[in-house]
Each structure stands twice: as C-alpha cells, then as structure tokens.
Amino acid sequence: MPAYGVIGGQWGDEGKGKVVDYLSQDADVVARFSGGNNAGHTVINEQGEFKLHLVPSGIFSPQTTCVIGNGLVLDLNVLRSEVENLQARGVDISRLQVSDRAHIIMPYHILQDQLEEKARGENALGTTGRGVGPAYVDKTARSGIRVGDLLNKEELHTRLRQVIKEKNVLIQRMYGGEPFSANQILESCSEWTEWLNPFISAVESTVQTALTAGKKILLEGAQGALLDLDHGTYPYVTSSHPTIGGAAIGLGIGYRSLEGVAGVYKAYTTRVGSGPMPTELDETIGESIREKAWEYGTTTGRARRVGWFDGVAARHSALVNEFSAVILTRLDVLDGFDTVKVCVGYRLNGKQINYFPSSASALARCEPIYEEVPGWDQPTAGLTTWEKVPTNARTYVERLQEVIGCPISIISTGPHRHETIQIHQFIPSTRSL
Ligand code: IMP
C-alpha cells in the first residue's frame, strides 16, 4: 500500500510543484491534503509553464487521478478559473476529484483575513490574505460550510443564513466593515454547485481503493513544515498542517500506507511573511540571491526574505516528519559564489544550542553559527547527472545531507522537469522518467 509524501522542509516555496510534476510520471494518484490557494506551485514541462494554487501538480501526467482532499479549504472561484485555464490550454482535467468534506473559503473569510491583519498592526502575521486562516477557524468552530453541503440546498441555505448573520455582526461591530448580502452568497453557491458537481467525490474511497490495489500515491504537500500550526514558528504559521501528519488527516489514510516521506529543501532558505528567520541575509547578498533566483511569491508577488541554509531548522523539519529522503532544489542559484555558508547551530543567551526553539521570540534572538565552505565556478544549472556536479558543490550537498541527517535522493538544477539529478530512486520506477 505505497504512499509517498513530498513535504516542504522549510517555510514553503521550496519548489514542490516542480518536484511533484517530475515524480508524478511514476504515480497513479496525486493528492493535495492541506492548505488552500495560499499555495503557489510552478510547473514547467513540455506542455508549458503553469502556476497552480489548488489543482495537484500531477495533473500533467496523463495516467494520474488527481485528488483534492478533505484537509483543504477551497476558494471555488479560484479553483474554477484554474481548472478553466488548464482546460483552455489543453490539459485533461477529467481526472480531477474534489472531496465532499473539504471546506469552502467564503467571501466573508477573505474579508475577515484582511480585516484581522489590518487590526494586528505591526504584529501582522503577513498572511496571504486569501481567507485561509478564518476558513480553518470556522472548520474548528464547526460553523464551516463543506463542498458536500452544496448538494443539499435547503439545509445549506438555513445554515449559511445563520452563519452570515453572525459574520455580519463581527464584521460591522468589531471592524466597522460592510455587511454581506446573504442572497448574493447563496447565488454564488448555486453557480459553484452547478460547475463543481461533476468533480465532487468521496475521495477517501478513491485513495483507499488505490492503496489496496497497490497503486502509487503521491501526497503533495503545500507550504512547509516550519509553517505548521503545531511544529512551525507559532504564531507566524499557517492554519493547517503541512507536515506529513496532515496527510493522514487530510486524506483519510493511516501511517502503514507510508513507504517514504521526502523533505524538499532549497539549497538556501527563504521566507515570505512575518516571523523569525535566524539566517536572514542583509540586503546586499540577500538582494542578489533574490534577483538571481527571482524570489517573489507565486501567489502574492511579495519579495521573499532570503538567507543561508538553516541546518537547525532543517533538522527540526526532518525529525517532525521522519523524512526518509531529501530533495534539494535550486542548487544552481548558488553557482558562482566565492564561499557559501551553512548554519549548523544557534547561539542563544550566550550559549550554543542545537535545537529549534518553540518560542518565536527566542528564535528571533538566536544568532546563527556558520560553517563557511568554498563555492564553485562551474555551473550546476541544468545538470542531470551527479558525476558532472563540480567537486565543491558536491561537498556542499554532502554537508547538507549530514546536517539534515537524511540522504539526498534528488537534486533539482533548474525549473524544467528534466533539469533533475536522481541519485537514488524515491519512488520505485515502473515507468522511465
Ligand atoms: P496564510 O496561510 O495566508 O494564513 O499565511 C500565514 C503565513 O504563511 C504567512 O507568513 C504566509 O506568507 C505564509 N504562507 C502561506 N502559504 C504559503 C506558501 O505557500 N508559501 C510560503 N509561505 C506561505
């Protein structure tokens, strides 16, 4: 019953879209299990360049069933335009299934997200403003509306009218915002139902049937472990579980199905939004990496903060996910540096520590302890074999492997599907990649 997880090992934006597109060539089912359209996955293959927010990045491999699991929160306007855009570009989306248990991001969630951020002032979390947090809050508060609810119009209208009444009180009294018209939202629901109906499915049954038949399931993570509600840099986190634990809940599978869990790490570190980031670089080097690597958010276009590889944070992610493999991306961005640094410990209150503090304020006070390794002149960009990687780049990769404590299986040397070095197979191949 083989399931393979692909999880962000840092603060998101590690290049999971490219990795999942590559690995999907060898998968039968590709499933998203958490988050919403706060995610932005870029895929470049023979079919073109695509920016996906909700549709699994496996949609380009014709043999895959692509599943949006119960653990997601869905802005159905975004899903619809993404699906229509894929269709217009000739991608077959008949293989897409959307869980009837997934929650819907309603227009009031988006406004609530933006009003709450504004009210936080200088303590703002830097959310993507897509309504993801408030939709998860309502899920937990048991006032959320799920995809399956669209199919029972009478019940939906009764519940939604009540929820909108409560939301309008909050929006008007607490934030002085404009109330929503219940009729307008109910109208949107009718439009969504008509369009979404063919995709709605009890996807846990699709996943379980595939697992029982021995099919290969790729679990596509969104965001990264350091943004996990429990294991990340709380409160500067997202409102879901991007760690592998989230896959069990977000799809309805057990741990016995897991054959492997790969952590995807960039060869350096980035973060978008607020919160501590010990290895953040000053503007000179940070800016040069940002421009070279075009480190701007796929979803919001915000400039990403850039830093050296943080080995303490990386090890923390590896432990809370029990990574069995590492997939290293964007190695080519470091081509041409005289030296490259790796953070191997922190100094906190004058003492060296090797753990990742649970408190964001303690983490903010941590000073990185660096090892400096020689850079490499010859490019790694576009390489497809390990033997061709320059010696100093190999030494750097091997050092990262030691620091993370997990073998590196795959290295990405560019954004295109084929710009990939496979050192070990992560998913046993039955098709040639
Ligand atoms: P939210 O998920 O929109 O509530 O945002 C919470 C935090 O997670 C903010 O710092 C966001 O910038 C960050 N975040 C959410 N999704 C992503 C992602 O896909 N990549 C990187 N950062 C993200």
Side-chain angles (χ1 to χ4, degrees), residues 169-249:
V169 172
L170 177 85
I171 287 165
Q172 285 178 288
R173 299 228 184 121
M174 179 106 178
Y175 300 108
E178 288 297 309
F180 279 92
S181 141
N183 286 342
Q184 221 163 37
I185 295 181
L186 293 173
E187 219 170 278
S188 299
C189 287
S190 301
E191 282 168 27
W192 292 332
T193 312
E194 201 177 314
W195 169 78
L196 192 66
N197 208 342
F199 299 102
I200 302 176
S201 164
V203 302
E204 56 277 12
S205 145
T206 306
V207 170
Q208 284 306 329
T209 308
L211 285 171
T212 308
K215 307 255 188 208
K216 288 184 260 184
I217 306 215
L218 197 54
L219 312 170
E220 177 178 0
Q223 289 81 47
L226 304 177
L227 288 172
D228 186 279
L229 192 51
D230 279 70
H231 299 290
T233 48
Y234 192 88
Y236 302 99
V237 291
T238 192
S239 298
S240 65
H241 296 287
T243 43
I244 192 63
I249 299 286

Side-chain angles (χ1 to χ4, degrees), residues 11-13 38-40 125-129 132-133 223 227 237-238 272-274 302:
W11 279 286
D13 307 319
N38 46 356
L125 304 175
T127 73
T128 58
V132 169
Q223 289 81 47
L227 288 172
V237 291
T238 192
V272 63
S274 318
R302 289 181 293 176

Side-chain angles (χ1 to χ4, degrees), residues 115-309:
L115 292 173
E116 283 170 359
E117 274 290 87
K118 203 165 153 210
R120 286 184 191 114
E122 56 183 34
N123 296 321
L125 304 175
T127 73
T128 58
R130 301 299 193 258
V132 169
Y136 277 116
V137 169
D138 280 3
K139 172 178 176 173
T140 315
R142 293 156 293 182
S143 55
I145 305 292
R146 305 197 294 179
V147 164
D149 296 335
L150 294 174
L151 303 175
N152 186 339
K153 196 169 171 183
E154 211 174 301
E155 222 173 88
L156 171 75
H157 283 206
T158 313
R159 281 196 58 221
L160 203 44
R161 279 191 192 283
Q162 178 61 29
V163 173
I164 294 170
K165 209 157 108 190
E166 288 164 18
K167 288 291 173 190
N168 279 342
V169 172
L170 177 85
I171 287 165
Q172 285 178 288
R173 299 228 184 121
M174 179 106 178
Y175 300 108
E178 288 297 309
F180 279 92
S181 141
N183 286 342
Q184 221 163 37
I185 295 181
L186 293 173
E187 219 170 278
S188 299
C189 287
S190 301
E191 282 168 27
W192 292 332
T193 312
E194 201 177 314
W195 169 78
L196 192 66
N197 208 342
F199 299 102
I200 302 176
S201 164
V203 302
E204 56 277 12
S205 145
T206 306
V207 170
Q208 284 306 329
T209 308
L211 285 171
T212 308
K215 307 255 188 208
K216 288 184 260 184
I217 306 215
L218 197 54
L219 312 170
E220 177 178 0
Q223 289 81 47
L226 304 177
L227 288 172
D228 186 279
L229 192 51
D230 279 70
H231 299 290
T233 48
Y234 192 88
Y236 302 99
V237 291
T238 192
S239 298
S240 65
H241 296 287
T243 43
I244 192 63
I249 299 286
L251 281 169
I253 59 171
Y255 296 98
R256 283 183 303 160
S257 300
L258 280 176
E259 283 287 305
V261 185
V264 186
Y265 294 86
K266 263 182 201 166
Y268 49 97
T269 307
T270 61
R271 172 163 206 175
V272 63
S274 318
M277 179 180 172
T279 63
E280 185 166 9
L281 280 161
D282 65 30
E283 276 313 298
T284 328
I285 308 179
E287 182 70 18
S288 79
I289 295 183
R290 183 181 307 121
E291 290 311 306
K292 181 177 178 188
W294 200 246
E295 288 292 359
Y296 291 90
T298 313
T299 300
T300 58
R302 289 181 293 176
R304 295 182 185 136
R305 300 153 65 192
V306 176
W308 293 122
F309 191 87

